[in-house]
Amino acid sequence: MTASIEQPQEGKIIPVINNFSKWPWWALAIGLAALVIIYNFITNQSYNDAISYIGTGVITTIRVTLTAYSMALVGGLILGLGRVSKNVLYYNIATFYVELMRGIPMLVIILYGAFVVVPVGLNILTTLGNWLIGISFLAGVGQALTQLDIQKIDMSGRAIAGLAMGYAAFEAEVFRAGIQSIDKGQMEAARSLGMNYVQAMRFVILPQALRRVLPPLGNDLIAILKDSSLISALAVNDITQLGKKFRARSFSSFEAYNTMAFLYLTMTISLSMLVKFIERKTSRGR
Amino acid sequence: MAANSDNVIITIENVTKNFGKSHALRGVTTNVKKGEVLMIIGPSGSGKSTLLRCINMLELPDTGSIVVDGISVMEKKTNINAVRAEVGMVFQQFNLFPHLSVLENIVLAQKVVRKRSTAEAEKVARQQLQHVGIPEKADAYPNELSGGQQQRVAIARALAMNPRIMLFDEPTSALDPEMIKEVLDVMVSLAKEGMTMVVVSHEMGFAKAAANRIVFMDQGKIVEEGSPVDFFTNPKSDRTKAFLSKIL
């Protein structure tokens, strides 16, 4: 038996095979596929048509994604603090919202946001505005609120509202987990120095929690980018909607969908590399 | 404030505290005079840490009363943070803020709670680091320090708030034996400076060097109390004798 333990060191073939089998073949395959598609964009007329038509949707996709994501982060932080709050009302409202949103498909949330929440919310705001005009020093605010018009909020704005509503619930759970992962002694030490709850959260707990949740927040950025394709249901001209349109008028399904997949993959893979980079950096830190 | 006439700074009267079905404290009465060093010893689960945590309101007693520096801990109107700013606490696990440097650890609460300027807070922080003997570690991060150094920073952090009372919750229990002395030395010098201290610990060296009074707790009650000499050489109750025979 002792001899067999030494065997791997004698046979030098084994490490070579191991290295070879550890190659990132999948990445190579994706890279190759990308090269083939890029080659087609340059040389093949119908691919060229596809990319120049669908490519204009990239800006919309990125704009919708980043806006909705920022809003989801803010909403998620507020909800996440509610999820760890000892205030019964705050905790219950946050938990109610999170449980509700996590149980509804994203597409339904987007439709709901676009056709129910945004119009109803605007109605409430304009009613409030009319009421405020009567109060002398708030008349300006009231005037501004009555000027709000559903026509001025285009479908991409409504789509952003829906995506942000849904993702706020996911980010809330990320923040909650991050806050709860910080040792209880940190809060006790901060409180014993005389800080109140808000100060302890802001200066001691959140800075540590945020560092810890950077990787899951990054993953959710990738997820919301992919889910942004659902806004094509509202006829917003993002990558997916333009791809569908291109296929409908040219009947070149293969070109249309390959181009769409290529555009999404380019963005998601770059983002995931960025997330891994940040993850490595933060795990090395203090 | 009436209690101040005989220099009592902490009054603890008939305090009880339950965690679910377990009775952590069942009627504890004692008080601490200004400048006194009170040491609480007892087996684990005897309620000594709970008593300490009640003094700065990390736990709220169920019944009884605790008055710290003239302020009743039990009253709803009491501003908890005002009491805590006067009572420094040092924990077994140090609980330094890992995302802040040593200096920032000591500066933070001074700025946020005491509303000191950055320059003033840093000046106090450096003085306190000098006080605990590690001025050169101001810019280090907690994870770069040994356990003993971390605990000394924790003491400096509490002292920087100019507390009137210092609480120590098993400050040396998480330390390697060779680091215990450096922390105890700081505590002994603090006691000699006249700081009022309540210390939960089993360090007999500290008891002999600095304690004015020893309280022995078991099962949520004070079994015996007395001066260190009396307590160690001449314990009265059998429970105390049994305990001392195990730790000495």
Side-chain angles (χ1 to χ4, degrees):
Chain A
M1 286 305 282
T2 44
S4 69
I5 291 170
E6 285 167 292
Q7 241 172 6
Q9 285 164 346
E10 290 165 17
K12 281 177 184 161
I13 299 165
I14 295 167
V16 174
I17 288 176
N18 274 344
N19 275 349
F20 209 52
S21 66
K22 277 178 188 163
W23 265 48
W25 293 107
W26 58 272
L28 213 64
I30 290 177
L32 266 178
L35 280 180
V36 168
I37 291 187
I38 291 171
Y39 177 76
N40 273 312
F41 287 150
I42 298 165
T43 58
N44 183 320
Q45 189 54 46
S46 54
Y47 267 102
N48 194 287
D49 290 346
I51 186 71
S52 44
Y53 186 75
I54 301 171
T56 56
V58 170
I59 303 292
T60 306
T61 291
I62 291 178
R63 184 174 58 85
V64 167
T65 299
L66 290 185
T67 321
Y69 185 67
S70 326
M71 290 165 69
L73 284 184
V74 175
L77 184 57
I78 294 168
L79 289 164
L81 287 169
R83 295 276 287 138
V84 297
S85 173
K86 286 201 178 96
N87 181 313
V88 179
L89 186 69
Y90 191 9
Y91 168 82
N92 275 291
I93 289 174
T95 308
F96 172 80
Y97 183 89
V98 168
E99 291 298 331
L100 204 73
M101 285 298 163
R102 288 203 306 170
I104 303 176
M106 192 55 67
L107 181 55
V108 179
I109 296 179
I110 289 171
L111 294 173
Y112 210 84
F115 299 115
V116 179
V117 175
V118 170
V120 169
L122 274 184
N123 256 336
I124 293 172
L125 284 180
T126 46
T127 313
L128 187 72
N130 276 324
W131 185 70
L132 286 179
I133 284 178
I135 304 167
S136 58
F137 63 96
L138 286 173
V141 183
Q143 196 69 44
L145 286 178
T146 51
Q147 300 298 314
L148 292 174
D149 184 1
I150 190 70
Q151 302 297 331
K152 285 187 192 151
I153 300 188
D154 66 357
M155 272 303 166
S156 78
R158 300 198 199 187
I160 288 169
L163 272 175
M165 275 162 53
Y167 267 87
F170 296 132
E171 303 326 321
E173 287 302 87
V174 171
F175 285 124
R176 177 193 58 75
I179 291 168
Q180 285 177 341
S181 77
I182 303 300
D183 184 69
K184 226 176 67 207
Q186 291 289 310
M187 180 56 100
E188 289 186 347
R191 298 305 301 273
S192 77
L193 286 166
M195 288 186 227
N196 62 35
Y197 181 83
V198 175
Q199 290 168 336
M201 259 300 163
R202 174 164 163 222
F203 296 112
V204 177
I205 308 296
L206 281 182
Q208 297 181 57
L210 290 186
R211 199 169 297 185
R212 247 178 236 192
V213 298
L214 274 182
L217 287 184
N219 288 333
D220 279 356
L221 175 56
I222 296 169
I224 196 172
L225 174 71
K226 291 193 287 176
D227 273 355
S228 76
S229 70
L230 293 170
I231 66 173
S232 63
L234 300 179
V236 178
N237 281 329
D238 73 328
I239 294 173
T240 306
Q241 178 67 10
L242 290 181
K244 277 155 69 180
K245 279 193 196 166
F246 181 80
R247 195 206 74 92
R249 66 169 210 197
S250 67
F251 300 108
S252 356
S253 316
F254 212 63
E255 289 82 348
Y257 296 143
N258 275 348
T259 303
M260 283 157 66
F262 171 82
L263 290 174
Y264 279 116
L265 268 173
T266 311
M267 291 190 282
T268 52
I269 289 181
S270 330
L271 272 179
S272 110
M273 272 162 29
L274 184 71
V275 169
K276 274 184 194 141
F277 173 74
I278 292 171
E279 208 166 336
R280 261 207 308 276
K281 260 198 124 176
T282 53
S283 68
R284 215 189 301 137
R286 28 189 83 100
Chain B
M1 297 302 278
N4 273 4
S5 53
D6 52 343
N7 264 341
V8 172
I9 194 162
I10 307 174
T11 317
I12 299 167
E13 252 171 67
N14 215 7
V15 165
T16 65
K17 173 75 186 174
N18 298 333
F19 293 110
K21 278 181 186 164
S22 75
H23 308 286
L25 297 176
R26 8 177 144 198
V28 174
T29 302
T30 187
N31 52 43
V32 184
K33 292 195 187 79
K34 210 170 271 179
E36 187 179 27
V37 177
L38 174 68
M39 195 159 166
I40 306 175
I41 65 172
S44 61
S46 59
K48 50 195 193 310
S49 285
T50 308
L51 183 62
L52 203 64
R53 293 162 63 86
C54 281
I55 295 175
N56 82 341
M57 292 192 261
L58 284 177
E59 310 284 355
L60 272 187
D62 294 336
T63 62
S65 91
I66 298 181
V67 179
V68 179
D69 201 16
I71 307 169
S72 171
V73 167
M74 300 291 286
E75 267 173 44
K76 282 224 166 113
K77 279 184 228 157
T78 298
N79 180 356
I80 293 181
N81 301 314
V83 177
R84 284 182 179 145
E86 306 300 328
V87 182
M89 180 138 181
V90 174
F91 300 87
Q92 184 177 352
Q93 299 298 337
F94 328 134
N95 292 343
L96 293 182
F97 308 137
H99 61 299
L100 300 177
S101 73
V102 164
L103 196 69
E104 290 164 337
N105 259 279
I106 307 174
V107 162
L108 178 62
Q110 293 187 65
K111 285 174 71 178
V112 173
V113 181
R114 288 275 190 242
K115 309 288 179 205
R116 289 178 187 154
S117 69
T118 306
E120 192 190 354
E122 283 186 1
K123 196 176 142 223
V124 174
R126 289 188 194 279
Q127 280 167 1
Q128 291 301 344
L129 280 176
Q130 190 83 44
H131 196 173
V132 299
I134 39 173
E136 74 280 6
K137 296 291 183 189
D139 298 318
Y141 278 80
N143 66 352
E144 298 161 359
L145 303 181
S146 72
Q149 290 169 335
Q150 289 190 48
Q151 193 61 297
R152 286 192 278 163
V153 173
I155 294 173
R157 181 175 69 176
L159 288 177
M161 299 295 287
N162 303 112
R164 301 162 68 88
I165 302 162
M166 283 287 285
L167 309 177
F168 292 83
D169 189 3
E170 308 210 21
T172 55
S173 300
L175 294 177
D176 290 341
E178 50 199 8
M179 289 168 190
I180 290 176
K181 190 175 176 297
E182 62 185 59
V183 172
L184 288 183
D185 286 347
V186 170
M187 290 170 62
V188 169
S189 77
L190 197 59
K192 295 224 167 99
E193 288 159 23
M195 175 64 79
T196 308
M197 294 164 70
V198 182
V199 182
V200 170
S201 174
H202 291 153
E203 292 299 334
M204 294 309 134
F206 178 77
K208 281 167 189 154
N212 300 121
R213 188 155 56 100
I214 311 270
V215 163
F216 175 68
M217 287 182 70
D218 188 30
Q219 297 185 352
K221 280 183 175 164
I222 293 179
V223 177
E224 189 171 341
E225 59 184 298
S227 72
V229 182
D230 280 352
F231 184 82
F232 289 115
T233 54
N234 197 8
K236 289 172 209 109
S237 84
D238 292 340
R239 183 69 190 90
T240 315
K241 283 175 194 160
F243 180 75
L244 288 177
S245 72
K246 278 174 201 143
I247 63 163
L248 288 178

